[in-house]
């Protein structure tokens, strides 16, 4: 912790510890992190390149996979480069403005990705329950508009988080025990009243994320009901392939988020380095696997 005492009262800087208790292992931890990140970038950019060049892939589902690839790139890039700077060069300081900017992009990309997964669930519902009208209901322009709505919603939902925190006073303790500026972690080091921040964060998590999960669940209830009415074995298998891929991606996305949210509030018995390690893996593991899985399942279902 000696490195954090060089300028403890600098009003324009926060300090990120990395992974508390595992500072000596930062170099070793950085190896899988950097590998996952590079593979994730290569895979997602490859998906974007192939879809942009291949006219036959300019279809709603592939446009949604491209949106997911964009959000995966944004989510991992908002966290991993700074984490690697901490692991490799001990560059622990981050400006207050940089911290709030990272916080905004991190949570906005999460909200955007959640919106994309909801749209994917709607896409699967139309494809399985109303296949004859699929081409007229879900056009490329409509998918683009839904993506734009998801982006605007993400910005409007997340923007108050850094704005509310920017009005808070931060005293001598400017050490954030993490590799990135998470809203809860930054709020905890404020010496002001963060009740409004906490209440708004709870509203975002329970109302908006809860709404997205409800819409996804409703789509799959209708899909399951329709699934048992399908008599064709080939259609059965095709529907199962695309739905399995989407469910796999949703589990990779929502389960770590729910676990992280619960441990932040109720997991005082969990060692901090375990929680932070798992939270960091969330930004490299799913982006590494999601596009490949969706792409492969859709190719088999085509």
């Amino acid at each position: 912790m000696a490195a954090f005492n060089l300028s403890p009262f600098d009003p324009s800087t926060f300090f990120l510890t990395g992974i508390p208790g595992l500072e000596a292992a930062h170099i070793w931890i950085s190896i899988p992190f950097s590998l996952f990140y590079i593979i994730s970038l290569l895979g997602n950019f490859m998906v974007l390149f192939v879809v942009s060049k291949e006219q036959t892939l300019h279809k709603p589902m592939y446009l949604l996979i491209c949106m997911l690839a964009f959000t995966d790139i944004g989510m991992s890039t908002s966290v991993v480069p700074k984490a690697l700077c901490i692991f490799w060069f001990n560059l622990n300081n981050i400006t207050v403005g940089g911290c709030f900017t990272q916080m905004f992009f991190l949570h906005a990309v999460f909200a955007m990705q959640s919106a994309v997964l909801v749209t994917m669930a709607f896409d699967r519902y139309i494809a399985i329950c109303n296949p004859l009208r699929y081409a007229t209901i879900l056009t490329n322009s409509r998918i683009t508009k839904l993506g734009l709505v998801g982006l605007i919603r993400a910005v409007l939902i997340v923007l108050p988080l850094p704005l509310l925190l920017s009005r808070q006073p931060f005293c001598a303790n400017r050490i954030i025990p993490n590799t990135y500026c998470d809203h809860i972690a930054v709020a905890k080091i404020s010496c002001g009243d963060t009740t409004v921040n906490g209440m708004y964060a709870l509203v975002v998590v329970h109302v908006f994320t809860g709404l997205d999960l409800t819409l996804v669940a409703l789509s799959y209830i209708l899909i399951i009901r329709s699934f048992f009415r399908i008599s064709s074995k080939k259609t059965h298998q095709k529907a199962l392939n695309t739905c399995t891929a989407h469910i796999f991606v949703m589990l990779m996305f929502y389960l770590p988020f729910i676990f992280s949210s619960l441990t932040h509030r109720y997991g005082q018995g969990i060692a901090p380095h375990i929680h932070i390690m798992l939270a960091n893996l969330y930004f490299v593991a799913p982006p590494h696997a999601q596009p490949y899985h969706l792409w492969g399942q859709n190719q088999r279902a085509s």
Side-chain angles (χ1 to χ4, degrees):
M1 298 295 286
F4 302 129
N5 294 325
L6 295 176
S7 53
F9 300 107
D10 184 350
S12 63
T13 305
F14 290 140
F15 296 92
L16 297 164
T17 64
I19 302 177
L22 296 179
E23 288 86 357
H26 275 177
I27 291 293
W28 297 107
I29 294 170
S30 72
I31 295 172
F33 264 63
S34 55
L35 288 176
F36 271 126
Y37 181 56
I38 292 168
I39 294 170
S40 170
L41 289 182
L42 290 175
N44 282 292
F45 276 119
M46 187 180 295
V47 167
L48 295 173
F49 177 77
V50 171
V51 174
S52 67
K53 292 297 182 182
E54 184 57 60
Q55 291 291 325
T56 58
L57 297 180
H58 291 184
K59 299 175 182 178
M61 191 59 193
Y62 288 101
L63 290 180
L64 288 169
I65 291 175
C66 285
M67 291 181 190
L68 190 67
F70 269 119
T71 58
D72 281 337
I73 292 169
M75 183 173 288
S76 57
T77 302
S78 65
V79 171
V80 178
K82 179 59 182 176
L84 292 177
C85 286
I86 296 171
F87 295 156
W88 290 341
F89 310 113
N90 286 326
L91 296 177
N92 302 82
N93 61 308
I94 184 171
T95 64
V96 173
C99 185
F100 290 150
T101 301
Q102 184 188 50
M103 182 193 304
F104 169 76
F105 278 106
L106 177 62
H107 293 296
V109 169
F110 175 90
M112 178 63 191
Q113 193 166 55
S114 184
V116 172
L117 291 175
V118 172
T119 309
M120 281 184 168
F122 179 63
D123 172 270
R124 292 301 84 203
Y125 161 69
I126 299 296
I128 294 171
C129 299
N130 206 345
L132 297 179
R133 297 186 60 199
Y134 178 85
T136 56
I137 295 174
L138 285 179
T139 61
N140 287 347
S141 62
R142 191 159 289 168
I143 290 294
T144 304
K145 289 174 183 176
L146 287 172
L148 184 60
V149 169
L151 177 61
I152 293 171
R153 187 194 76 150
V155 171
L156 294 178
I157 290 172
V158 173
L159 191 58
L161 292 175
L163 288 180
L164 287 169
L165 272 181
S166 67
R167 301 166 63 89
Q168 292 293 328
F170 293 93
C171 305
N173 177 23
R174 291 174 166 266
I175 299 173
I176 301 171
N178 211 325
T179 60
Y180 59 92
C181 290
D182 179 65
H183 174 262
I184 297 175
V186 177
K188 283 181 178 179
I189 66 169
S190 171
C191 53
D193 183 5
T194 58
T195 303
V196 175
N197 301 70
M199 289 177 63
Y200 183 76
L202 283 174
V203 168
V204 170
V205 170
H206 289 97
V207 175
F208 293 103
T209 307
L211 176 63
D212 287 354
L213 285 170
T214 301
L215 291 173
V216 169
L218 179 61
S219 296
Y220 272 94
I221 289 170
L222 295 173
I223 287 170
I224 291 169
R225 192 177 69 174
S226 177
F227 188 79
F228 290 108
R229 297 175 183 172
I230 299 173
S231 56
S232 168
K233 213 169 188 180
K234 184 178 178 181
T235 307
H236 240 245
Q237 189 60 42
K238 184 177 178 180
L240 187 61
N241 278 340
T242 54
C243 288
T244 301
H246 184 239
I247 291 170
F248 172 79
V249 169
M250 283 194 303
L251 289 175
M252 290 185 69
F253 178 74
Y254 285 114
L255 286 183
F257 166 73
I258 293 170
F259 172 80
S260 180
S261 297
L262 290 175
T263 52
H264 259 305
R265 290 174 173 83
Y266 311 112
Q268 286 80 10
I270 299 176
H273 66 272
I274 293 176
H275 168 69
I276 293 170
M277 178 73 81
L278 292 174
N280 277 270
L281 282 174
Y282 173 65
F283 297 108
V284 290
H288 163 261
Q290 284 173 353
Y292 302 128
H293 196 76
L294 275 172
W295 183 275
Q297 292 285 17
N298 275 281
Q299 290 295 94
R300 284 195 289 272
S302 297

